[in-house]
């Protein structure tokens, strides 16, 4: 890289629009959407779509609600021509959808384009020629007058060829290619010359499309350019002002949104931003940006994963897992502090509340996503994320101190493996850590005793022995601990107790979480059973078992007489 890049690259000059209005504009309705996936997107693919994939993409775009779809460049190849004919001949275009096709400003290409559209009910024919200084000087070898003459001549040809097919409702569109690198006064001159030929009216408008064929400037300067054209173009009330942003600087979405704020009526782009080089404007991104601000975008993205799968199939390109709104990981938090905030916000949220959630700009369920992947656990995760997964997937409502305790167990595993832990992995670890698969309680019975106390008799299986427990207390848990105490090497106290049901009906299970003080150590035990008393006794055995396995290895905790 150059130490002084200014010796090779010049900064893009600002417009100098000191009274610009667009920064204060608020988007309250969607633009006219035009998908160019089947043309601009297709021509950028390593392997352009065959007829079957083209049709699959077209059907997706129609189902999503696009009313204007650029379906190809029919003069460029036989496949492109044949696809347009297939749509028309087989009556595959819904009455409320208008197809669009593109042609360079060359006579034989234009004639071939109109031939492809014969019999269409309604069609947008899109004319373009380059206007930027570098194209005039290096590629075309034409003066400004020559560029204007080229545009006017071919605009006239459009008009005469359309007149030969009066049964079709024609809409003309013109693009000064490389508008983003063209002097504004010259861009206006060329566009005004074309609309002088076409003579649009407020009832029968033409489309003027201003492409950032290469993204040269920051998006605020592009917005100034659009506002300048919006103010100065002749016949503005007879025009649909369209923009076609590319993404060379990585700011295509901002450029598109700013352009609409600056007066554009229409956006051209591709699903997930496919296109030449770094791609076109991402229409999904813009549409869901609007949606997240309370504006209905007019496009159906309620099954975002199906849209993504179809686009990946047709383009033979993957959508990045961090792609806005659609990527596999965009609603996922691994960070412990993020997970804790999300868990608390979900717990506080009531159905019907305005969406106001940390780290989630919109509700994944609106796009057909479940909450399953909202929180995933890796070495950066904390207790909140772990607790959320166990609760959302398995119905386990861990007390806060148990969350802290178990998160340390998970962290130890994560430090050892370095791999992400799924909800299933974490649940399995929880079952193993708290011995929920051990069958230590063989049976129990509770009877009233004197002074409002109860007597509890139980049998437990420990270290290969069957042991009888007999104790009395102010409740079953107290009686069980008292019965155990005479045979334990260390003092046991119950510090806290939580329980809840998992599922309902005949298969309902109770979960008991008991915080124990065993000697100098504080830890939890967990028990599960259809009977809440049995679940509580199992939770005490779970805690003792954890301590016994660690401290006494294979020795029995109970001292036999």
């Amino acid at each position: 890289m150059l130490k002084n890049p200014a010796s090779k690259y010049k900064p893009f000059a600002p417009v100098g629009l000191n009274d610009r209005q667009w920064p204060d504009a608020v988007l309250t309705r969607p633009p006219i959407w035009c998908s160019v996936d089947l043309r601009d997107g297709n021509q950028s693919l390593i392997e352009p779509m065959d007829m079957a994939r083209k049709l699959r993409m077209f059907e997706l775009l129609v189902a999503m609600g696009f009313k204007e779809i650029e379906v190809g460049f029919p003069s460029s190849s036989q496949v492109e021509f044949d696809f347009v004919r297939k749509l028309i001949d087989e009556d595959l275009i819904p009455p409320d959808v208008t197809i669009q096709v593109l042609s360079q400003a060359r006579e034989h290409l234009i004639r071939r384009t109109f031939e492809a559209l014969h019999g269409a009910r309604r069609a947008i024919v899109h004319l373009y020629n380059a206007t930027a200084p570098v194209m005039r000087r290096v590629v075309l070898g034409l003066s400004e007058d020559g560029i204007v003459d080229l545009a006017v001549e071919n605009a006239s040809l459009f008009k005469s060829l359309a007149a030969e097919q009066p049964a079709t409702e024609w809409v003309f569109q013109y693009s000064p290619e490389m508008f983003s690198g063209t002097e504004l006064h010259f861009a206006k001159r060329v566009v005004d010359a074309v609309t002088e030929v076409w003579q649009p009216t407020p009832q029968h408008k033409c489309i003027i499309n201003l492409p950032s064929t290469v993204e040269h400037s920051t998006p605020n300067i592009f917005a100034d350019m659009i506002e300048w054209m919006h103010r100065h173009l002749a016949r503005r009330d007879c025009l649909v002002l369209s923009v076609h942003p590319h993404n060379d600087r990585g700011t295509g979405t901002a450029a598109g949104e700013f352009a609409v704020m600056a007066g554009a009526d229409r956006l051209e782009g591709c699903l997930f931003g496919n296109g030449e080089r770094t791609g076109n404007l991402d229409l999904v991104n813009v549409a869901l940006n609007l949606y997240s601000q309370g504006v209905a975008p007019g496009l159906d993205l309620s099954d975002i994963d199906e849209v993504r799968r179809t686009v990946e199939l047709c383009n033979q390109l993957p959508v990045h897992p961090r792609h806005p709104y659609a990527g596999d990981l965009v609603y996922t938090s691994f960070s412990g502090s993020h997970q804790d905030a999300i868990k608390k916000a979900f717990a506080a949220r009531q159905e019907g509340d305005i969406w106001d959630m940390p780290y989630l700009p919109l509700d994944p369920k609106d796009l057909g996503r479940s909450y399953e992947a909202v929180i995933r656990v890796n070495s950066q995760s904390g207790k909140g994320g772990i607790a959320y997964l166990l609760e959302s997937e398995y119905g386990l409502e861990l007390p806060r101190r148990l969350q802290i305790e178990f998160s340390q167990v998970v962290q130890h595993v994560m430090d050892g493996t370095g791999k992400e832990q799924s909800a299933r992995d974490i649940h399995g670890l929880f079952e193993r850590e708290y011995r929920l698969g051990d069958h230590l309680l063989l049976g129990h019975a509770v009877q009233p005793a004197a002074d409002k106390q109860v007597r509890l008799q139980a049998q437990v299986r420990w270290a290969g022995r069957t042991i009888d427990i007999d104790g009395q207390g102010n409740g079953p848990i107290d009686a069980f601990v008292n019965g155990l105490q005479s045979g334990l090497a260390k003092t046991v106290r119950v510090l806290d107790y939580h329980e809840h049901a998992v599922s309902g009906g005949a298969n309902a299970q109770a979960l008991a979480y008991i915080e124990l003080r065993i000697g100098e150590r504080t830890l939890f035990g967990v028990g599960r059973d259809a009977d809440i008393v049995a679940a509580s006794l199992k939770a005490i055995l779970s805690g003792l078992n954890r301590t016994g396995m660690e401290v006494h290895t294979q020795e029995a905790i109970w001292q036999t007489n």
Side-chain angles (χ1 to χ4, degrees), residues 71 74 80-89 99 101 116-117:
V71 295
E80 293 285 288
F81 185 94
D82 289 346
F83 181 66
V84 177
R85 291 308 320 158
K86 179 180 180 67
L87 294 177
I88 297 169
D89 293 339
I99 60 170
V101 295
L117 291 170

Side-chain angles (χ1 to χ4, degrees), residues 167-408:
T168 297
E169 181 185 348
W170 297 103
V171 178
F172 296 153
Q173 176 170 328
Y174 175 68
S175 289
E177 190 196 14
M178 294 190 70
F179 164 78
S180 50
T182 301
E183 311 94 319
L184 287 175
H185 286 280
F186 182 60
K188 167 180 161 55
R189 180 187 170 193
V190 177
V191 170
D192 286 350
V194 169
T195 61
E196 175 68 25
V197 173
W198 284 343
Q199 288 295 305
T201 67
Q203 293 74 37
H204 190 196
K205 297 182 179 184
C206 71
I207 301 169
I208 297 302
N209 187 56
L210 304 176
S212 59
T213 310
V214 177
E215 193 178 31
H216 291 298
S217 69
T218 52
N220 62 301
I221 292 179
F222 184 67
D224 282 352
M225 295 171 70
I226 298 301
E227 183 168 334
W228 191 93
M229 293 291 281
H230 169 60
R231 293 188 193 183
H232 291 91
L233 284 176
R235 308 172 189 86
R236 179 63 184 91
D237 63 333
C238 304
L239 310 178
V240 174
L241 189 60
S242 176
V243 291
H244 181 110
H246 277 253
N247 197 43
D248 299 272
R249 294 172 56 91
T251 56
T253 296
E257 291 178 331
F258 284 5
V260 176
M261 293 164 64
D265 308 302
R266 181 178 185 265
L267 289 178
E268 290 191 345
C270 291
L271 302 180
F272 309 119
N274 183 42
E276 297 278 14
R277 304 179 308 281
T278 56
N280 292 299
L281 172 67
D282 182 349
L283 297 183
V284 173
N285 196 346
V286 178
L288 291 177
N289 282 352
L290 287 171
Y291 183 81
S292 72
Q293 301 300 302
V295 178
L299 296 177
D300 184 0
L301 292 159
S302 58
D303 191 349
I304 193 73
D305 289 331
E306 179 59 26
V307 173
R308 186 190 66 195
R309 283 191 292 267
T310 302
V311 171
E312 288 178 331
L313 171 67
C314 293
N315 289 342
Q316 300 292 290
L317 289 172
V319 172
H320 196 280
R322 297 292 183 192
H323 199 98
Y325 300 110
D328 279 334
L329 298 176
V330 297
Y331 303 107
T332 300
S333 288
F334 289 102
S335 161
S337 60
H338 291 196
Q339 293 173 345
D340 188 57
I342 291 171
K343 178 178 181 294
K344 289 174 179 174
F346 268 124
R349 186 172 188 275
Q350 300 295 317
E351 189 65 33
D353 286 353
I354 289 292
W355 186 258
D356 184 19
M357 296 286 289
Y359 309 111
L360 293 172
L362 56 72
D363 189 345
K365 284 192 173 179
D366 289 355
L367 306 183
R369 290 274 184 92
S370 72
Y371 292 143
E372 180 178 355
V374 167
I375 289 177
R376 289 163 61 175
V377 173
N378 65 10
S379 60
Q380 303 301 307
S381 304
K383 62 184 182 303
I386 295 164
Y388 173 85
L389 287 180
L390 289 176
E391 182 173 351
S392 62
E393 298 297 313
Y394 296 98
L396 305 184
E397 301 171 11
L398 274 58
R400 182 169 178 79
R401 288 194 295 277
L402 177 54
Q403 294 177 27
I404 296 170
E405 179 185 282
F406 183 58
S407 69
Q408 294 169 356

